[in-house]
Amino acid sequence: MSWKKDKVRKPAKPNEALTRRDFLQGAGVAVSGGLLVGREPAIAASPDEKAKVLGPEAVPITLRINGKAQKLTLEPRVTLLDALRNHLDMTGAKKMCDRGTCGACTVILDGKAVYACSVLAIAAQGKEILTIEGLAAGGKLHPVMTAFVEHDAHQCGFCTPGFVMASKAFLDKNPNPLQQDVEEGLGGNLCRCGVYVGVRQAALDAAKARLGEKGGKAHGKV
Amino acid sequence: MAKCKYDWPEAGQRKLIGKRISRVTGPAMASGQAKYSYDINRPGMLYARLLACPYAHAKIKSIDTSEAEKLPGVKTVRIIQRVGTEIQWAGDEIVAVVAEREEIAEDALRRIKVEYEKLPHIVHEEDLSQVGDRAKPAAEQRTGDPDAAFKDPDAVISEGYYGLPVIIHCTPETHGGVAEWVDAENLRVWISTQNVSGLPPQIAETLGTPVTNIQALCEYMGGGFGSKFSPDRWGIEMARLAKDVGKPVKLMLQREHDSMVAGARPSYFAKIRVAAKKDGTLTGWESDTWGTGGPGGATLPPIPYVLNVPNQIKRHTSVATNVGPARAWRAPGHPQACYLTMTALDDLAAKLNMDPIEFLMKNLALAKPREQIYRQELQKAAELAEWTKNWHPRGDKSPGPIKRGLGVSIHTWGGGGHNSLCNVAIHPDGSVEITLGSQDLGTGTRTVIAITAAETFGLPVEAVTVNIGDSKYPPSGGSGGSTTVGGVSGSTRRGCVDALEQLFAAVAPGLGVPAEQLEAADGRIQVKGDAAKSLTWKQACAKLGVKSVQVQGKNPGPCQLGSSGVGGVQIADVSVDTETGIVKINKMVAVQDCGLIIDLKTAENQCYGAITMGIGYSLFEEKIMDQVTGRMLNPNLDSYKLAGIGDIGEIVVHMMTGPGYDDRGVIGLGEPPVIAPGAAISNAVANAIGVRVPTLPLTPAKVLAALAKGGIA
């Protein structure tokens, strides 16, 4: 969760540099009481300026999902994955491991692939959240999806939305990958049916198709 | 042979069958639109969580749920197993909680107090001397004269120790579902299942509700691998809970719990002696095996596998443990039997200084009735793996720490076609529907049905609507043992042929020919040999007036559309780092027959997937149990290691087709390709490092331990 780290590193005012004691107090609050507002400093900055502590009861939050603002009332402990699945009926992101290992819940947060099970919904406020539903907006398949269909990069399909989102984010940053790059880039997603052969080909093929449109030349083996 | 009216079209006539066709569910899966049982959200739905027993063997002394009941948002707390019950494995369900939200249900579990009387448990079985009275030896089995075979002074005898631990199913979608009482009498459940048509009778029996009042639904399901045939305790409980609270209830197992209770593949360990003449002819087999599938133990696996070695003695001991109950795991018993047999035979071949492929070829008469199939498949696999160029006798003598090796294994499976009924409808507007109570586990059931119907009607695949995943549809068998494709393609083909006859009868008068002279091809109904006299499919269907053609198709039925029994050969090409012990897959070659292939693309994918899963259980997977606490140490995906995208190397699949294969009809493919990887990979590692790593998974520690005892040479 980068918001927390950034705020610790950069206190709002230079002369209010943190003491170890302040830091521990702040950390204690975060652990025992609940969580702090995403845009506020994550630590109690001074004795007379109490940190705004949220929860444990539900609080109003706003998430920007697929370009649309969604207002929810959630306990601060609710993950982005549960917010999507249980509160917004957006079930494309799947719950498979629920601990940041399998990637079945992958969504794109400000352009970066993240595990939605490992991000709290409140921490995703103010960010652009792209889900598989948004990637197939208007019922039109995204080119990565088309490549998955063509290469049969799925069997039961449960891990597929996560793989598609991870592939999309990966290809945005690596438009011309080698097979080895794909294996590293998609190494954070797991499949039990064993469709990696198809996923590998789909990712390379999607890159090739996009480069072709732009007049580039792919070097990845398909 | 006389043509039978339902027979599959001749090779030259097939427009779709046997081609590479993208699965019809692809767009729904890739776009996240496919709805799995886990994804079902019903109005007013509540969430259930289960409290599991933390001990492997214990008696429940008391249960206090009062604090949980007081928690705001908790709707009901239900005791599943009463005080006094003896629990046989950690993770067994004790209490269920229903709450408004998942998080509250989780909080409530922490407020439940259960006291247990701990009882002695056994969760390790590899060392038979430590299991006490949990060992149940079976009677010795003898065939021929094994004593003479092993005493023969000319016999070459190889002796070794081999084994594979318990692994889990680890289905991507955990077990569970949603239950909703439509009214006081009628129950609807969405369950992640391999057995849509078979669920209502099982639920009815336990709940005491008439079968007719129960509807089971499963449109998409996230993997079963043999672990999802029953409604299970959680399936029954969610129905009871939904009744108690008067609202729909979702009950999905959490990953950790699922790993502990919802499926395990039995372990097997073995001391094996095999004898052969100096020319490699097998003459004797002796094995002492043991293993566990949890409290039920484990029966003797089918060894010696594929090759029916003459003169056998087999002794087997079943060990009852507290590791959680076994379930059918893809090709039950076969991956284990294959591993034990093909590693022992590979060691014998090495002792004989024989090329293992030559050794297998020499003994193929013991693989009747598939001697010729194995011969062809071994040749093809050797060619694809460049065996002649890449294989060397045991121990890669090349310099440097990375050693390369090749290993081979063969396997078999039955398959066939289960019982299946389907309804085939041709509507006056030209639309076509095939409806049956089957399920698509990711094997491509819908696609196979659509292709079969489209081929029969001369239509594109997209023109066919396939309705499955509802127990109110005509019943079809559960998806197990590679029987679904054979079952649903048989019922669909017969139903479509009959439906087409009715359509022909309706359009024949208009075309001025008898119905028998009509055929369906390229989206038209036309006169055989005179394509000019034809109607488009749509025009033809319009002749039905206002009444759809509705026909029932059956499997089994007239004409031989399928059969049973396949072979299969796999070769592994690996590199082993002798400094770190890490095994890397360079290439896997699979040559597989499965009769007539309906969709080559999904068939090949079954093989890719099975081999990937095989790489997983060969290199990484084990249900690691802790004897002190009796618990599984790695019930989550960060510690239960599946193969990842970077672990699979190159996978080459060759499906055997054409004369001698296609004419066997449809057989099924889910199980066979997952059987051989363990032995093939272990044999490749032995070939690389010159010593056998006795048990799977081939972890770096085990590889280094084997190397410390010898190797390379």
Side-chain angles (χ1 to χ4, degrees), chain B residues 601-631:
Chain B
K601 188 181 272 197
T602 52
E604 286 170 339
N605 196 353
Q606 269 300 300
C607 294
Y608 291 137
I611 288 162
T612 302
M613 199 180 254
I615 292 168
Y617 75 69
S618 299
L619 301 184
F620 312 117
E621 290 182 46
E622 177 174 1
K623 183 175 190 177
I624 302 171
M625 300 298 297
D626 176 31
Q627 181 55 41
V628 176
T629 59
R631 300 197 65 174

Side-chain angles (χ1 to χ4, degrees), chain A residues 75 77 85-86 89 91 94-96 99 101 150 152 154-158 183 192-194 196 200, chain B residues 23 29 35-36 38-39 41 101-102 107 168-170 172 255 442 601 605-606 609 621 638 643 649:
Chain A
E75 286 180 69
R77 61 174 165 169
R85 292 181 55 82
N86 295 348
D89 198 26
T91 56
K94 303 293 186 237
K95 188 182 277 193
M96 190 165 137
R99 56 167 56 197
T101 303
E150 170 61 24
D152 205 29
H154 33 232
Q155 281 187 24
C156 81
F158 202 73
E183 288 174 2
R192 181 49 156 170
C193 303
Y196 302 130
R200 212 157 60 180
Chain B
R23 75 181 63 217
M29 287 174 172
K35 286 277 180 191
Y36 296 76
Y38 211 149
D39 300 336
N41 288 325
R101 294 196 304 279
E102 284 192 286
D107 290 344
I168 61 171
H169 292 69
C170 203
R255 175 60 57 191
K601 188 181 272 197
N605 196 353
Q606 269 300 300
E621 290 182 46
D638 49 356

Side-chain angles (χ1 to χ4, degrees), chain A residues 48-68:
Chain A
D48 48 42
E49 191 189 328
K50 281 265 162 72
K52 191 178 171 191
V53 177
L54 289 183
E57 71 281 0
V59 294
I61 73 161
T62 304
L63 296 175
R64 198 166 165 78
I65 304 169
N66 302 327
K68 206 174 136 200

Side-chain angles (χ1 to χ4, degrees), chain B residues 491-502:
Chain B
S491 61
T492 303
R493 173 71 179 173
R494 292 188 184 92
C496 289
V497 168
D498 287 345
L500 193 59
E501 273 185 0
Q502 291 194 21

Side-chain angles (χ1 to χ4, degrees), chain B residues 5 48-49 83 179 222 407 438 470 514 517 519 599 648:
Chain B
K5 81 168 182 177
R49 278 283 202 276
V83 170
S438 187
D470 186 338
Q517 284 186 30
E519 64 180 2
D599 183 359
I648 61 170

Side-chain angles (χ1 to χ4, degrees), chain A residues 72-197:
Chain A
L72 294 163
T73 306
L74 296 177
E75 286 180 69
R77 61 174 165 169
V78 174
T79 64
L80 177 56
L81 179 61
D82 285 340
L84 291 169
R85 292 181 55 82
N86 295 348
H87 297 267
L88 293 164
D89 198 26
M90 298 176 81
T91 56
K94 303 293 186 237
K95 188 182 277 193
M96 190 165 137
C97 74
D98 204 22
R99 56 167 56 197
T101 303
C102 76
C105 62
T106 303
V107 299
I108 297 176
L109 212 60
D110 281 347
K112 191 172 173 243
V114 300
Y115 295 140
C117 73
S118 303
V119 176
L120 291 174
I122 55 162
Q125 292 189 94
K127 295 179 193 282
E128 286 292 336
I129 302 161
L130 178 66
T131 73
I132 190 87
E133 289 86 356
L135 200 59
K140 198 176 175 308
L141 293 187
H142 183 274
V144 170
M145 296 174 184
T146 314
F148 268 63
V149 175
E150 170 61 24
H151 291 284
D152 205 29
H154 33 232
Q155 281 187 24
C156 81
F158 202 73
C159 70
T160 310
F163 263 109
V164 168
M165 296 308 286
S167 300
K168 199 257 178 216
F170 167 74
L171 293 172
D172 285 347
K173 291 195 169 68
N174 304 273
N176 194 6
L178 294 166
Q179 179 169 310
Q180 194 188 329
D181 303 325
V182 171
E183 288 174 2
E184 273 172 34
L186 301 184
N189 290 63
L190 290 171
C191 166
R192 181 49 156 170
C193 303
V195 300
Y196 302 130
V197 170

